[in-house]
Amino acid sequence: MTLNLIDDPWIPVLCEDGTRWVIAPWQMAQPGILRPDWPRPDLNIACYELLIGLVFLADPPASNGEWQRRIAPDPDRLKQKLATFAPAFNLLGVGPRFLQDLELLQGTPNPIDMLFMDSAGANTASNNADLIVHRGRYAKLDLPLAAMALYAFQAHAPSGGAGNRTSMRGGGPLVTLVDPGDGLWSLVWANIPCGAPSVPASLPWMKHTRISDKGQQALPPDGRVFDVEAFFGMPRRLRLVGDDTGIVGVIQKPSGTNYALWKHPLSPYYRMKAGAEWLPKHPRAGRFGYRNWLGVLSREARSETTELSLSLRDWAQRGGEAAVLVAGWAMDNMKPRDFVLSAQPLLDLSVVAEDMLVGMILAAEAAAVALREALAPILAGGEAREAEREAFFSATEDQFLTHVQALKVGADPRAAWLADLRRQALTQFDALAVPGLDQRETDGIERIVKARKHLAGAFAGYGRQGRDIFEQLGIDPPVVKKARTSA
């Protein structure tokens, strides 16, 4: 069995008319294709990254001006440009193999399902600890599915035990993809960085692995923050093992490429302070909502410590509003907790409106903290109060998005947003505090009444939390009169 990832049709896609095709990569530029159609959402996101990487490899725009001139799809041109790289994209066979170590690795193969982030590792399985992660789901993979799983694993590789490196973005990076909403080619072209075409020799599996057994690091070339290897990194030393029916195992050796200081163009970054090293952002488990926008979809107030993905920054020069696919595995070290996938708006706001947006999000954060602290006489600390904080953000999502529409037309919704925050916080507090209140001890009732008074006062601008809410909204807090002293 053979598979060439450039020449052969192998990528399942969903079309506008509801039909499903299997295409070769150059056919991504044909009309009528909506999106990849793999059986797992993490593979669909990785497939977007692979297709973007292939175009960047073979035929990227030199500038945003050229990007605009070439916005119309040209499948024949793409087919011609990609053909040069076909010898480097064999999944099996003699010679270089796609994303696999050039050395013919020896050893006992691991089960093929090690390529999936939510599969159980050897220790997890031997300890019968695979309650969330799972063992033995994939005894064998067909070649297309194995190729896509291999790419996703190398691009997002988590911690994997001694010497097994994470991806250049760490385990389970956050991915942000601009989606103009006009099908597969529209999304791929929207996220292509500007650059120059590469050559097959630039791909890491075309040469011997840069071993990192003594802590060696691989830096971006020529002082840049990335090149084409950002899309085709090889942190893991792997060789697929196949038979006549598919891929049945993976041989892995430690000490693959240890990437340092790279910045992937499809992920946002942060740093602890100005001048420190940039680090990739990772998703948190749970729903991605407006509380997560800062530093991912919208700049933060301290912009010198956060940076949106290059794809989003480029889009500011290329087009107007669009959707953004936000995705990634939320990890707890080696353990997957949740796969986050969300479509969010990418807004084209004035500087003044953008400042209001940032303030509204930060005010909601301050309001949620005020609610959590006010619940101390009612709920124990930890998960119970944190759950109420999360519920607060979910309950105010629709109102926030309504106010975003007001910002887009030049209105000022900050006072209305303050009222929404107050209403939701007090509603949640009362829903927990009022039932059974008359059954409590007198001192318990007194603490609850006092906590509600302080919570209501925060939304009038009083106290530390109230000053924080008002400051983020740009509203002057009330002037507190000093008590008179007796003569």
mmCIF file of all heavy atoms in Angstrom, residues 138-181:
data_model
loop_
_atom_site.group_PDB
_atom_site.id
_atom_site.type_symbol
_atom_site.label_atom_id
_atom_site.label_comp_id
_atom_site.label_asym_id
_atom_site.label_seq_id
_atom_site.Cartn_x
_atom_site.Cartn_y
_atom_site.Cartn_z
ATOM 1 N N TYR A 138 -8.319 2.211 18.422
ATOM 2 C CA TYR A 138 -7.902 2.137 17.027
ATOM 3 C C TYR A 138 -6.840 1.050 16.893
ATOM 4 O O TYR A 138 -5.654 1.300 17.073
ATOM 5 C CB TYR A 138 -7.345 3.481 16.566
ATOM 6 C CG TYR A 138 -8.278 4.657 16.786
ATOM 7 C CD1 TYR A 138 -8.113 5.511 17.878
ATOM 8 C CD2 TYR A 138 -9.311 4.914 15.900
ATOM 9 C CE1 TYR A 138 -8.952 6.590 18.083
ATOM 10 C CE2 TYR A 138 -10.170 5.993 16.092
ATOM 11 C CZ TYR A 138 -9.987 6.831 17.191
ATOM 12 O OH TYR A 138 -10.826 7.895 17.382
ATOM 13 N N ALA A 139 -7.253 -0.150 16.576
ATOM 14 C CA ALA A 139 -6.292 -1.231 16.383
ATOM 15 C C ALA A 139 -5.542 -1.069 15.070
ATOM 16 O O ALA A 139 -4.407 -1.517 14.923
ATOM 17 C CB ALA A 139 -7.014 -2.572 16.404
ATOM 18 N N LYS A 140 -6.177 -0.387 14.107
ATOM 19 C CA LYS A 140 -5.584 -0.214 12.786
ATOM 20 C C LYS A 140 -6.198 1.031 12.160
ATOM 21 O O LYS A 140 -7.368 1.345 12.391
ATOM 22 C CB LYS A 140 -5.884 -1.440 11.934
ATOM 23 C CG LYS A 140 -5.306 -1.426 10.541
ATOM 24 C CD LYS A 140 -5.661 -2.721 9.808
ATOM 25 C CE LYS A 140 -5.059 -3.920 10.517
ATOM 26 N NZ LYS A 140 -5.301 -5.182 9.768
ATOM 27 N N LEU A 141 -5.390 1.770 11.392
ATOM 28 C CA LEU A 141 -5.875 2.950 10.684
ATOM 29 C C LEU A 141 -5.599 2.791 9.198
ATOM 30 O O LEU A 141 -4.536 2.301 8.799
ATOM 31 C CB LEU A 141 -5.165 4.213 11.177
ATOM 32 C CG LEU A 141 -5.307 4.594 12.656
ATOM 33 C CD1 LEU A 141 -4.506 5.866 12.940
ATOM 34 C CD2 LEU A 141 -6.766 4.789 13.045
ATOM 35 N N ASP A 142 -6.557 3.233 8.363
ATOM 36 C CA ASP A 142 -6.246 3.293 6.940
ATOM 37 C C ASP A 142 -5.221 4.417 6.718
ATOM 38 O O ASP A 142 -4.983 5.251 7.593
ATOM 39 C CB ASP A 142 -7.507 3.479 6.104
ATOM 40 C CG ASP A 142 -8.266 4.760 6.407
ATOM 41 O OD1 ASP A 142 -7.626 5.817 6.596
ATOM 42 O OD2 ASP A 142 -9.504 4.719 6.447
ATOM 43 N N LEU A 143 -4.600 4.431 5.551
ATOM 44 C CA LEU A 143 -3.486 5.354 5.336
ATOM 45 C C LEU A 143 -3.891 6.820 5.439
ATOM 46 O O LEU A 143 -3.167 7.615 6.065
ATOM 47 C CB LEU A 143 -2.825 5.063 3.984
ATOM 48 C CG LEU A 143 -2.188 3.682 3.798
ATOM 49 C CD1 LEU A 143 -1.321 3.666 2.549
ATOM 50 C CD2 LEU A 143 -1.385 3.257 5.009
ATOM 51 N N PRO A 144 -5.004 7.256 4.849
ATOM 52 C CA PRO A 144 -5.371 8.662 4.995
ATOM 53 C C PRO A 144 -5.577 9.084 6.454
ATOM 54 O O PRO A 144 -5.089 10.133 6.888
ATOM 55 C CB PRO A 144 -6.666 8.775 4.190
ATOM 56 C CG PRO A 144 -6.553 7.712 3.164
ATOM 57 C CD PRO A 144 -5.889 6.570 3.882
ATOM 58 N N LEU A 145 -6.299 8.268 7.225
ATOM 59 C CA LEU A 145 -6.544 8.615 8.622
ATOM 60 C C LEU A 145 -5.244 8.617 9.412
ATOM 61 O O LEU A 145 -5.017 9.480 10.278
ATOM 62 C CB LEU A 145 -7.553 7.651 9.235
ATOM 63 C CG LEU A 145 -8.030 7.968 10.662
ATOM 64 C CD1 LEU A 145 -8.628 9.357 10.748
ATOM 65 C CD2 LEU A 145 -9.038 6.927 11.123
ATOM 66 N N ALA A 146 -4.351 7.670 9.119
ATOM 67 C CA ALA A 146 -3.055 7.634 9.799
ATOM 68 C C ALA A 146 -2.232 8.875 9.476
ATOM 69 O O ALA A 146 -1.576 9.454 10.353
ATOM 70 C CB ALA A 146 -2.287 6.379 9.395
ATOM 71 N N ALA A 147 -2.263 9.318 8.223
ATOM 72 C CA ALA A 147 -1.516 10.510 7.823
ATOM 73 C C ALA A 147 -2.032 11.739 8.548
ATOM 74 O O ALA A 147 -1.252 12.573 9.038
ATOM 75 C CB ALA A 147 -1.608 10.702 6.310
ATOM 76 N N MET A 148 -3.358 11.863 8.662
ATOM 77 C CA MET A 148 -3.915 13.042 9.321
ATOM 78 C C MET A 148 -3.655 13.008 10.820
ATOM 79 O O MET A 148 -3.342 14.036 11.438
ATOM 80 C CB MET A 148 -5.424 13.111 9.055
ATOM 81 C CG MET A 148 -6.055 14.464 9.339
ATOM 82 S SD MET A 148 -5.447 15.753 8.219
ATOM 83 C CE MET A 148 -4.293 16.625 9.277
ATOM 84 N N ALA A 149 -3.765 11.822 11.410
ATOM 85 C CA ALA A 149 -3.472 11.693 12.835
ATOM 86 C C ALA A 149 -2.008 11.979 13.129
ATOM 87 O O ALA A 149 -1.679 12.608 14.148
ATOM 88 C CB ALA A 149 -3.844 10.290 13.323
ATOM 89 N N LEU A 150 -1.125 11.532 12.250
ATOM 90 C CA LEU A 150 0.302 11.802 12.417
ATOM 91 C C LEU A 150 0.575 13.296 12.381
ATOM 92 O O LEU A 150 1.326 13.820 13.213
ATOM 93 C CB LEU A 150 1.084 11.087 11.314
ATOM 94 C CG LEU A 150 2.591 11.367 11.238
ATOM 95 C CD1 LEU A 150 3.303 10.882 12.492
ATOM 96 C CD2 LEU A 150 3.186 10.711 9.988
ATOM 97 N N TYR A 151 -0.030 13.995 11.438
ATOM 98 C CA TYR A 151 0.176 15.445 11.362
ATOM 99 C C TYR A 151 -0.342 16.137 12.624
ATOM 100 O O TYR A 151 0.339 16.990 13.211
ATOM 101 C CB TYR A 151 -0.508 16.028 10.129
ATOM 102 C CG TYR A 151 -0.277 17.520 10.017
ATOM 103 C CD1 TYR A 151 0.859 18.012 9.395
ATOM 104 C CD2 TYR A 151 -1.176 18.425 10.573
ATOM 105 C CE1 TYR A 151 1.101 19.385 9.331
ATOM 106 C CE2 TYR A 151 -0.945 19.788 10.503
ATOM 107 C CZ TYR A 151 0.183 20.265 9.882
ATOM 108 O OH TYR A 151 0.425 21.622 9.830
ATOM 109 N N ALA A 152 -1.554 15.782 13.045
ATOM 110 C CA ALA A 152 -2.137 16.415 14.229
ATOM 111 C C ALA A 152 -1.271 16.170 15.453
ATOM 112 O O ALA A 152 -1.084 17.059 16.295
ATOM 113 C CB ALA A 152 -3.555 15.882 14.462
ATOM 114 N N PHE A 153 -0.727 14.976 15.568
ATOM 115 C CA PHE A 153 0.090 14.639 16.733
ATOM 116 C C PHE A 153 1.391 15.439 16.739
ATOM 117 O O PHE A 153 1.778 16.007 17.765
ATOM 118 C CB PHE A 153 0.384 13.142 16.723
ATOM 119 C CG PHE A 153 1.103 12.654 17.950
ATOM 120 C CD1 PHE A 153 0.483 12.668 19.186
ATOM 121 C CD2 PHE A 153 2.402 12.169 17.872
ATOM 122 C CE1 PHE A 153 1.136 12.218 20.324
ATOM 123 C CE2 PHE A 153 3.068 11.711 18.993
ATOM 124 C CZ PHE A 153 2.434 11.742 20.232
ATOM 125 N N GLN A 154 2.085 15.511 15.616
ATOM 126 C CA GLN A 154 3.333 16.274 15.563
ATOM 127 C C GLN A 154 3.076 17.763 15.788
ATOM 128 O O GLN A 154 3.866 18.457 16.428
ATOM 129 C CB GLN A 154 4.035 16.063 14.217
ATOM 130 C CG GLN A 154 4.581 14.660 13.988
ATOM 131 C CD GLN A 154 5.919 14.415 14.681
ATOM 132 O OE1 GLN A 154 6.186 14.936 15.771
ATOM 133 N NE2 GLN A 154 6.753 13.593 14.055
ATOM 134 N N ALA A 155 1.949 18.272 15.294
ATOM 135 C CA ALA A 155 1.664 19.707 15.398
ATOM 136 C C ALA A 155 1.235 20.120 16.796
ATOM 137 O O ALA A 155 1.430 21.274 17.195
ATOM 138 C CB ALA A 155 0.571 20.083 14.393
ATOM 139 N N HIS A 156 0.651 19.183 17.564
ATOM 140 C CA HIS A 156 0.082 19.533 18.879
ATOM 141 C C HIS A 156 0.616 18.646 19.994
ATOM 142 O O HIS A 156 0.019 18.584 21.075
ATOM 143 C CB HIS A 156 -1.448 19.403 18.833
ATOM 144 C CG HIS A 156 -2.104 20.214 17.770
ATOM 145 N ND1 HIS A 156 -3.336 19.896 17.238
ATOM 146 C CD2 HIS A 156 -1.706 21.343 17.138
ATOM 147 C CE1 HIS A 156 -3.656 20.793 16.322
ATOM 148 N NE2 HIS A 156 -2.687 21.672 16.241
ATOM 149 N N ALA A 157 1.748 17.977 19.785
ATOM 150 C CA ALA A 157 2.215 16.920 20.684
ATOM 151 C C ALA A 157 2.294 17.364 22.139
ATOM 152 O O ALA A 157 2.903 18.389 22.448
ATOM 153 C CB ALA A 157 3.590 16.428 20.225
ATOM 154 N N PRO A 158 1.709 16.589 23.058
ATOM 155 C CA PRO A 158 1.786 16.897 24.485
ATOM 156 C C PRO A 158 3.067 16.347 25.089
ATOM 157 O O PRO A 158 3.871 15.698 24.415
ATOM 158 C CB PRO A 158 0.570 16.179 25.051
ATOM 159 C CG PRO A 158 0.473 14.944 24.194
ATOM 160 C CD PRO A 158 0.902 15.376 22.808
ATOM 161 N N SER A 159 3.247 16.576 26.373
ATOM 162 C CA SER A 159 4.332 15.924 27.100
ATOM 163 C C SER A 159 4.177 14.427 26.947
ATOM 164 O O SER A 159 3.067 13.893 27.021
ATOM 165 C CB SER A 159 4.292 16.294 28.589
ATOM 166 O OG SER A 159 4.395 17.688 28.756
ATOM 167 N N GLY A 160 5.308 13.724 26.766
ATOM 168 C CA GLY A 160 5.195 12.299 26.489
ATOM 169 C C GLY A 160 6.202 11.449 27.223
ATOM 170 O O GLY A 160 6.628 10.424 26.697
ATOM 171 N N GLY A 161 6.612 11.857 28.414
ATOM 172 C CA GLY A 161 7.605 11.086 29.141
ATOM 173 C C GLY A 161 9.009 11.535 28.797
ATOM 174 O O GLY A 161 9.226 12.446 27.999
ATOM 175 N N ALA A 162 9.982 10.895 29.396
ATOM 176 C CA ALA A 162 11.381 11.318 29.297
ATOM 177 C C ALA A 162 11.837 11.403 27.851
ATOM 178 O O ALA A 162 11.799 10.417 27.114
ATOM 179 C CB ALA A 162 12.267 10.340 30.062
ATOM 180 N N GLY A 163 12.258 12.601 27.445
ATOM 181 C CA GLY A 163 12.857 12.800 26.138
ATOM 182 C C GLY A 163 11.884 12.965 24.997
ATOM 183 O O GLY A 163 12.290 13.327 23.891
ATOM 184 N N ASN A 164 10.598 12.711 25.208
ATOM 185 C CA ASN A 164 9.611 12.858 24.140
ATOM 186 C C ASN A 164 9.093 14.286 24.140
ATOM 187 O O ASN A 164 8.374 14.704 25.049
ATOM 188 C CB ASN A 164 8.470 11.858 24.318
ATOM 189 C CG ASN A 164 8.922 10.430 24.081
ATOM 190 O OD1 ASN A 164 9.732 10.174 23.199
ATOM 191 N ND2 ASN A 164 8.410 9.500 24.873
ATOM 192 N N ARG A 165 9.472 15.032 23.126
ATOM 193 C CA ARG A 165 9.266 16.476 23.111
ATOM 194 C C ARG A 165 7.824 16.867 22.804
ATOM 195 O O ARG A 165 7.088 16.162 22.116
ATOM 196 C CB ARG A 165 10.185 17.116 22.063
ATOM 197 C CG ARG A 165 11.663 16.817 22.252
ATOM 198 C CD ARG A 165 12.171 17.363 23.565
ATOM 199 N NE ARG A 165 13.603 17.098 23.758
ATOM 200 C CZ ARG A 165 14.253 17.363 24.872
ATOM 201 N NH1 ARG A 165 13.607 17.864 25.909
ATOM 202 N NH2 ARG A 165 15.547 17.100 24.964
ATOM 203 N N THR A 166 7.445 18.030 23.305
ATOM 204 C CA THR A 166 6.174 18.642 22.920
ATOM 205 C C THR A 166 6.341 19.341 21.582
ATOM 206 O O THR A 166 7.446 19.529 21.081
ATOM 207 C CB THR A 166 5.712 19.670 23.964
ATOM 208 O OG1 THR A 166 6.636 20.763 23.983
ATOM 209 C CG2 THR A 166 5.611 19.062 25.341
ATOM 210 N N SER A 167 5.220 19.738 20.992
ATOM 211 C CA SER A 167 5.271 20.503 19.749
ATOM 212 C C SER A 167 5.920 21.860 20.009
ATOM 213 O O SER A 167 6.120 22.264 21.158
ATOM 214 C CB SER A 167 3.858 20.697 19.196
ATOM 215 O OG SER A 167 3.191 21.762 19.840
ATOM 216 N N MET A 168 6.238 22.579 18.951
ATOM 217 C CA MET A 168 6.874 23.885 19.127
ATOM 218 C C MET A 168 5.946 24.883 19.809
ATOM 219 O O MET A 168 6.380 25.929 20.264
ATOM 220 C CB MET A 168 7.362 24.447 17.791
ATOM 221 C CG MET A 168 6.282 24.825 16.808
ATOM 222 S SD MET A 168 6.946 25.638 15.339
ATOM 223 C CE MET A 168 8.019 24.391 14.666
ATOM 224 N N ARG A 169 4.650 24.554 19.924
ATOM 225 C CA ARG A 169 3.700 25.388 20.673
ATOM 226 C C ARG A 169 3.317 24.747 21.999
ATOM 227 O O ARG A 169 2.348 25.180 22.633
ATOM 228 C CB ARG A 169 2.439 25.614 19.835
ATOM 229 C CG ARG A 169 2.637 26.468 18.617
ATOM 230 C CD ARG A 169 1.378 26.550 17.766
ATOM 231 N NE ARG A 169 1.154 25.334 16.983
ATOM 232 C CZ ARG A 169 0.099 25.128 16.200
ATOM 233 N NH1 ARG A 169 -0.847 26.057 16.126
ATOM 234 N NH2 ARG A 169 -0.019 24.006 15.506
ATOM 235 N N GLY A 170 4.065 23.722 22.421
ATOM 236 C CA GLY A 170 3.697 23.013 23.638
ATOM 237 C C GLY A 170 2.539 22.070 23.372
ATOM 238 O O GLY A 170 2.006 21.963 22.262
ATOM 239 N N GLY A 171 2.111 21.363 24.401
ATOM 240 C CA GLY A 171 1.039 20.389 24.256
ATOM 241 C C GLY A 171 -0.321 21.057 24.186
ATOM 242 O O GLY A 171 -0.686 21.840 25.059
ATOM 243 N N GLY A 172 -1.093 20.757 23.145
ATOM 244 C CA GLY A 172 -2.438 21.292 23.026
ATOM 245 C C GLY A 172 -2.478 22.801 22.875
ATOM 246 O O GLY A 172 -3.108 23.484 23.680
ATOM 247 N N PRO A 173 -1.845 23.380 21.850
ATOM 248 C CA PRO A 173 -1.868 24.832 21.681
ATOM 249 C C PRO A 173 -3.245 25.340 21.280
ATOM 250 O O PRO A 173 -4.071 24.602 20.737
ATOM 251 C CB PRO A 173 -0.858 25.064 20.550
ATOM 252 C CG PRO A 173 -0.918 23.803 19.746
ATOM 253 C CD PRO A 173 -1.110 22.708 20.768
ATOM 254 N N LEU A 174 -3.471 26.621 21.535
ATOM 255 C CA LEU A 174 -4.683 27.289 21.073
ATOM 256 C C LEU A 174 -4.477 27.703 19.619
ATOM 257 O O LEU A 174 -3.460 28.298 19.268
ATOM 258 C CB LEU A 174 -4.963 28.516 21.939
ATOM 259 C CG LEU A 174 -6.280 29.253 21.678
ATOM 260 C CD1 LEU A 174 -7.467 28.371 22.038
ATOM 261 C CD2 LEU A 174 -6.330 30.538 22.500
ATOM 262 N N VAL A 175 -5.442 27.377 18.773
ATOM 263 C CA VAL A 175 -5.385 27.694 17.345
ATOM 264 C C VAL A 175 -6.487 28.698 17.025
ATOM 265 O O VAL A 175 -7.636 28.512 17.446
ATOM 266 C CB VAL A 175 -5.570 26.421 16.491
ATOM 267 C CG1 VAL A 175 -5.556 26.755 15.002
ATOM 268 C CG2 VAL A 175 -4.502 25.388 16.828
ATOM 269 N N THR A 176 -6.153 29.766 16.284
ATOM 270 C CA THR A 176 -7.159 30.736 15.854
ATOM 271 C C THR A 176 -7.071 30.883 14.342
ATOM 272 O O THR A 176 -6.043 31.258 13.803
ATOM 273 C CB THR A 176 -6.963 32.101 16.534
ATOM 274 O OG1 THR A 176 -5.636 32.579 16.305
ATOM 275 C CG2 THR A 176 -7.186 31.997 18.038
ATOM 276 N N LEU A 177 -8.168 30.581 13.663
ATOM 277 C CA LEU A 177 -8.222 30.600 12.199
ATOM 278 C C LEU A 177 -9.290 31.579 11.730
ATOM 279 O O LEU A 177 -10.467 31.463 12.114
ATOM 280 C CB LEU A 177 -8.555 29.205 11.664
ATOM 281 C CG LEU A 177 -7.560 28.084 12.000
ATOM 282 C CD1 LEU A 177 -8.145 26.732 11.581
ATOM 283 C CD2 LEU A 177 -6.235 28.326 11.309
ATOM 284 N N VAL A 178 -8.900 32.538 10.917
ATOM 285 C CA VAL A 178 -9.865 33.462 10.326
ATOM 286 C C VAL A 178 -10.740 32.701 9.341
ATOM 287 O O VAL A 178 -10.229 31.951 8.495
ATOM 288 C CB VAL A 178 -9.138 34.616 9.605
ATOM 289 C CG1 VAL A 178 -10.156 35.551 8.948
ATOM 290 C CG2 VAL A 178 -8.260 35.386 10.567
ATOM 291 N N ASP A 179 -12.052 32.877 9.433
ATOM 292 C CA ASP A 179 -12.980 32.208 8.529
ATOM 293 C C ASP A 179 -13.907 33.249 7.894
ATOM 294 O O ASP A 179 -14.879 33.671 8.507
ATOM 295 C CB ASP A 179 -13.807 31.161 9.282
ATOM 296 C CG ASP A 179 -14.736 30.390 8.353
ATOM 297 O OD1 ASP A 179 -14.662 30.591 7.128
ATOM 298 O OD2 ASP A 179 -15.553 29.597 8.859
ATOM 299 N N PRO A 180 -13.613 33.666 6.668
ATOM 300 C CA PRO A 180 -14.498 34.639 6.003
ATOM 301 C C PRO A 180 -15.872 34.082 5.671
ATOM 302 O O PRO A 180 -16.765 34.834 5.276
ATOM 303 C CB PRO A 180 -13.720 34.992 4.715
ATOM 304 C CG PRO A 180 -12.310 34.610 4.994
ATOM 305 C CD PRO A 180 -12.399 33.396 5.890
ATOM 306 N N GLY A 181 -16.041 32.768 5.766
ATOM 307 C CA GLY A 181 -17.360 32.171 5.600
ATOM 308 C C GLY A 181 -17.739 31.830 4.179
ATOM 309 O O GLY A 181 -18.929 31.728 3.861
#
